[in-house]
Amino acid sequence: MKLILMGPPGAGKGTQGEILEKKLGISTISTGLMLRTAIKEQTEVGKIAETYINAGKLVPDDVIVAVVKERLSQPDCEKGFILDGFPRTTAQAEALDTAGVEIDKVLLLEVDDEKIVERLSSRRECSKCGVPYNIIFKKPLKEGICDSCGGELITRKDDVPETIQNRLNVYHEQTEPIRKYYEAKGILAVAKGEEELADTTANVMKALGIEA
């Protein structure tokens, strides 16, 4: 299956991507990691992307699509792939089509904004060892203290409610319109993100027509 995974920040895309990766035996491809790898390996498109980054400019859509296409030509993507974090805009979705990258399904994980703010603002991480916690779903044994090393638990800057809302606003403005684009192509599948991981996974499998 050639799959795009999309949804708001904190919807659980990474977790569901890992589950689908094991279930289907295909690779999850992260755009950020792809760019860094292409630059590190100094591929042709990697060199082009690097010139934009070094100049402090955004990497153009056609360059990012070229990086994606280059990565998807690798042997581990022959049986399929899961694209996480791309496309982020309708222009990128169109560029992906123009480049000849075939997609079977686009899975949209839906979670209400209020739940996203609650989920992300409850995240904590250890200031020393970086172990993640959640004061709702994965509490430490002692409040504010890491179970592993005894370090102080802190809230990351991007998990402050105001920042989360800004990230959601960007998602609604730029990424949500892709829904209509893929709906029109008849390849959009929607799964509701639930409180329990197993329930979300069941919704995902049902939306994609995969036996649990």
Side-chain angles (χ1 to χ4, degrees):
M1 184 177 284
K2 296 170 182 177
L3 180 67
I4 288 173
L5 198 52
M6 61 180 286
K13 297 187 296 296
T15 303
Q16 292 303 320
E18 288 174 10
I19 292 168
L20 285 167
E21 189 174 50
K22 291 174 184 174
K23 179 77 175 174
L24 301 173
I26 56 179
S27 298
T28 300
I29 311 297
S30 159
T31 319
L33 182 59
M34 257 188 289
L35 269 174
R36 291 191 292 273
T37 303
I39 292 168
K40 185 180 178 181
E41 294 178 355
Q42 286 292 285
T43 65
E44 287 305 310
V45 286
K47 289 175 184 176
I48 295 168
E50 189 175 31
T51 59
Y52 284 96
I53 291 169
N54 289 345
K57 298 177 181 178
L58 288 174
V59 181
D61 288 347
D62 59 340
V63 177
I64 294 178
V65 169
V67 171
V68 171
K69 193 171 182 181
E70 186 177 67
R71 174 66 183 85
L72 298 184
S73 68
Q74 299 298 314
D76 66 325
C77 293
E78 283 179 4
K79 293 181 180 179
F81 52 79
I82 301 166
L83 269 181
D84 181 9
F86 187 87
R88 289 183 183 273
T89 63
T90 306
Q92 289 180 350
E94 291 170 345
L96 204 59
D97 281 345
T98 303
V101 177
E102 292 183 8
I103 301 297
D104 297 320
K105 282 285 183 182
V106 177
L107 176 70
L108 171 63
L109 265 181
E110 278 192 335
V111 181
D112 295 337
D113 282 9
E114 295 78 15
K115 289 291 182 185
I116 293 291
V117 173
E118 183 184 339
R119 279 186 191 182
L120 296 186
S121 60
S122 64
R123 293 198 304 195
R124 302 289 185 272
E125 73 175 18
C126 178
S127 56
K128 285 186 179 179
C129 69
V131 169
Y133 291 87
N134 189 297
I135 57 174
I136 297 173
F137 305 111
K138 187 191 172 187
K139 296 180 181 180
L141 296 174
K142 187 176 180 182
E143 188 178 344
I145 303 296
C146 175
D147 297 344
S148 301
C149 73
E152 180 189 2
L153 300 187
I154 58 170
T155 302
R156 298 188 321 187
K157 288 181 179 178
D158 58 349
D159 286 338
V160 173
E162 294 78 12
T163 308
I164 296 166
Q165 193 57 59
N166 287 336
R167 290 167 65 194
L168 283 169
N169 291 342
V170 169
Y171 169 76
H172 291 309
E173 289 167 14
Q174 296 184 3
T175 309
E176 258 195 348
I178 303 175
R179 175 182 185 147
K180 292 180 182 177
Y181 180 79
Y182 285 121
E183 257 178 343
K185 291 172 72 71
I187 59 173
L188 184 78
V190 181
K192 185 77 174 174
E194 309 284 0
E195 290 296 324
E196 296 295 328
L197 174 60
D199 294 337
T200 301
T201 303
N203 290 347
V204 166
M205 297 302 172
K206 184 178 179 182
L208 294 175
I210 300 169
E211 287 188 17

